Amino acid sequence: MGGRADIVMITYRSAMYIRLSLPRLLETLGDDDRVWLWHNGDDEATIEALRPFVSDDRVAHYHHSRENVRLREPTNWLWQNSRARFVSKVDDDCLVSPGWLDTFASAHMANPEFGVIGSWRHPEEDFRPELARRKIQAFAGGHSLMRNNWVQGSGYLMPRARVDANGPLGESESFTGYCMRLAEAGAVNGFYYPFVPEDHMDDPRSPHTLIHSDQDLLDRMPLSARANGVMTVEQWTAQLQQSAIVLQTASLDPRTYSGWRRKLKLVSRRIRLAMGRPAKW
């Protein structure tokens, strides 16, 4: 058995954000936690921003892929090679909260049924207590979750034993899909509550955002925005707000997201994209 937690940060054309996100992540580590860095592409500014940290004792590994291989391969690189008790990913555009690892590790150790515990990346105004109340549940050790079958792929903590039991991300599987697979196998997933914030800097409402105009959005184009046909800051903000509502209202029954129900949602999404309108979650 290795240390407590190994966390991968995958970087791509993000020099300005890395100067905030990586030092913050390193500051939150305990003595037995380590960061694995994977850089996609050849953006010189990003490589220069990473350079001072490559030799940091808290950084266990650094890998540079000349090709932008996105997220699945680097995530599996960590999951399949780590010997730590827990694995995680923190995005290069996210600021984790102090103490997040201690809180999540404590919750996991008190509740072996937990699968993936996530930070909450939405602003306070996106929280609707009247919607979320039915999904907030208390567990052993004084810990609570706003349960959901999936969390976002940043600022989470998952036992490595879950990877041993369920395998890595599949060839075309998203992190959301992987969380759903764990839920179907009986794992309890959700957002730690009271929420542990994660500042998503690509949210135009973040005080640290680089997205101030439609052109800024087009220049950066977050993966989720691209996948959903978003073209303006207004549309991107609306999608993020809608995502928060979905998380607070989504069914906890994994069967809701399979079979004919899933096919109906996919058809609706394709129609919206074909009509030039952003897809809704």
Side-chain angles (χ1 to χ4, degrees):
M1 180 66 71
R4 180 176 69 166
D6 283 337
I7 305 106
V8 65
M9 178 175 280
I10 305 161
T11 60
Y12 174 71
R13 292 183 58 222
S14 50
M16 296 290 287
Y17 284 158
I18 286 171
R19 294 188 179 99
L20 298 175
S21 60
L22 185 49
R24 169 67 67 83
L25 174 58
L26 293 172
E27 290 168 3
T28 68
L29 301 181
D31 292 339
D32 293 327
D33 306 320
R34 292 294 180 269
V35 171
W36 297 34
L37 293 174
W38 178 295
H39 177 62
N40 281 325
D42 284 329
D43 181 63
E44 287 296 333
T46 305
I47 293 171
E48 283 302 310
L50 287 170
R51 198 178 304 280
F53 300 100
V54 172
S55 60
D56 192 298
D57 289 341
R58 296 164 294 181
V59 174
H61 302 280
Y62 172 67
H63 180 84
H64 180 191
S65 169
R66 303 293 297 272
E67 179 187 356
N68 179 16
V69 296
R70 309 259 177 157
L71 304 177
R72 187 188 61 82
E73 183 177 342
T75 299
N76 281 340
W77 172 62
L78 175 81
W79 286 7
Q80 294 178 294
N81 292 288
S82 171
R83 299 274 66 87
R85 180 168 183 173
F86 300 104
V87 292
S88 175
K89 177 168 75 70
V90 171
D91 288 344
D92 59 3
D93 61 357
C94 289
L95 296 175
V96 289
S97 290
W100 72 286
L101 279 171
D102 293 336
T103 299
F104 292 0
S106 175
H108 272 294
M109 288 186 285
N111 298 274
E113 70 272 28
F114 284 179
V116 188
I117 300 176
S119 304
W120 181 253
R121 60 164 52 178
H122 297 274
E124 289 185 15
E125 62 264 26
D126 286 354
F127 178 51
R128 307 287 182 83
E130 71 280 6
L131 298 179
R133 189 176 298 115
R134 67 179 181 83
K135 299 182 71 175
I136 298 172
Q137 299 178 12
F139 294 91
H143 300 285
S144 295
L145 299 181
M146 187 191 82
R147 289 190 58 190
N148 197 56
N149 286 331
W150 71 91
V151 302
Q152 78 273 350
S154 175
Y156 67 82
L157 196 67
M158 177 176 69
R160 186 174 54 81
R162 295 288 179 181
V163 179
D164 293 340
N166 295 277
L169 285 167
E171 191 65 34
S172 59
E173 187 175 38
S174 66
F175 184 70
T176 296
Y178 192 84
C179 290
M180 292 294 302
R181 185 148 59 90
L182 295 187
E184 291 171 358
V188 174
N189 302 332
F191 299 90
Y192 194 89
Y193 188 84
F195 292 135
V196 175
E198 181 184 58
D199 181 359
H200 181 206
M201 293 184 283
D202 260 351
D203 186 327
R205 298 167 293 175
S206 166
H208 301 102
T209 191
L210 297 177
I211 298 177
H212 303 286
S213 68
D214 294 346
Q215 187 58 52
D216 292 338
L217 177 67
L218 294 176
D219 290 341
R220 288 199 55 78
M221 194 49 72
L223 292 176
S224 178
R226 185 188 306 277
N228 286 286
V230 164
M231 298 297 291
T232 69
V233 171
E234 182 180 4
Q235 291 173 347
W236 176 225
T237 302
Q239 179 181 310
L240 294 171
Q241 292 169 327
Q242 176 65 17
S243 174
I245 297 298
V246 169
L247 294 173
Q248 294 169 86
T249 58
S251 170
L252 294 176
D253 183 353
R255 293 174 298 178
T256 305
Y257 310 99
S258 61
W260 66 267
R261 296 178 182 87
R262 175 171 174 78
K263 291 178 181 177
L264 183 61
K265 290 180 181 178
L266 290 175
V267 169
S268 176
R269 183 176 182 276
R270 290 192 188 103
I271 290 172
R272 290 187 62 84
L273 288 172
M275 295 176 65
R277 292 184 291 174
K280 291 186 177 181
W281 289 67

